[in-house]
Amino acid sequence: MRPQANSEILDRMPPSAIEAERALICSALVRPDIIPDVADAIAAADFHNQANAAIFRHLVGMAADGVTIGLDTLRLSLMEAGELEAVGGSAYLAELFQTTYTPSAYKTHLAAVDKAAKLRAIIGTATGMLRAAYGNDDPAELAGNAAERLLAVTAASARKKPTAGDVFAQALQSIVEPQDDQRFGLAT
């Protein structure tokens, strides 16, 4: 019989920053120019509220496609994807748009969403390690992987997505600068 990890701590709600999520979305609706910066720092999966995650995913996609960001275009994007009702309908979007958040404070809201997402990821990782330990896996292997798994939570969110310019610059650099075992050009 496998022991169960029953504890008051495991029954608690995971960390979230729902108001910060809402404020971040509102800020993006009012100031679409912040969307690339926000999208470089967090992903839709970092939102705890699934409706907010879907809305953010649409905002990022619209910005990437060069679509004018606004309440009507967001509503249309969600409607075309069949997700409008799942996020709370037009009423929820209007509520977000009418909420009074200070768009210039978006970095504060971004930090709160990111922090809550990292804490949830750490809890998920620790819970997985707990399950593995109860499963009688190899203790040396579990201990060896623990730090790596926990550090990966922070490292994954700290990495910025490379831009097309970054990729091009990296490729150009590898062509122009010789590598250790070659005189010039790309390795063949």
Side-chain angles (χ1 to χ4, degrees), residues 116-131:
K118 285 178 185 172
L119 289 172
R120 287 191 307 274
I122 290 169
I123 290 167
T125 300
T127 301
M129 292 183 324
L130 181 64
R131 283 189 186 112

Side-chain angles (χ1 to χ4, degrees), residues 12-160:
R12 292 175 60 185
M13 291 296 295
S16 64
I18 304 300
E19 283 304 309
E21 291 178 8
R22 291 170 54 97
L24 198 53
I25 290 168
C26 180
S27 296
L29 281 168
V30 174
R31 282 197 48 209
D33 61 295
I34 69 168
I35 294 173
D37 289 340
V38 174
D40 279 347
I42 62 171
D46 293 328
F47 284 74
H48 187 258
N49 180 286
Q50 294 306 304
N52 292 340
I55 292 168
F56 180 73
R57 188 177 62 253
H58 279 267
L59 287 171
V60 171
M62 291 166 60
D65 293 342
V67 175
T68 301
I69 304 291
L71 186 58
D72 291 332
T73 54
L74 176 60
R75 182 182 302 122
L76 181 62
S77 178
L78 288 161
M79 192 182 317
E80 287 174 351
E83 296 182 80
L84 182 60
E85 294 310 312
V87 301
S90 296
Y92 184 66
L93 295 180
E95 181 183 326
L96 281 174
F97 197 69
Q98 292 174 355
T99 306
T100 54
Y101 294 110
T102 307
S104 61
Y106 81 91
K107 289 184 181 184
T108 302
H109 307 307
L110 174 61
V113 172
D114 186 48
K115 177 183 175 183
K118 285 178 185 172
L119 289 172
R120 287 191 307 274
I122 290 169
I123 290 167
T125 300
T127 301
M129 292 183 324
L130 181 64
R131 283 189 186 112
Y134 274 111
N136 297 319
D137 285 356
D138 178 28
E141 185 179 333
L142 286 173
N145 291 333
E148 183 180 321
R149 289 178 189 170
L150 290 171
L151 288 174
V153 169
T154 303
S157 62
R159 284 192 300 265
K160 285 194 169 185

Side-chain angles (χ1 to χ4, degrees), residues 1-4 134 136:
M1 183 164 119
R2 192 176 190 165
Q4 294 295 315
Y134 274 111
N136 297 319

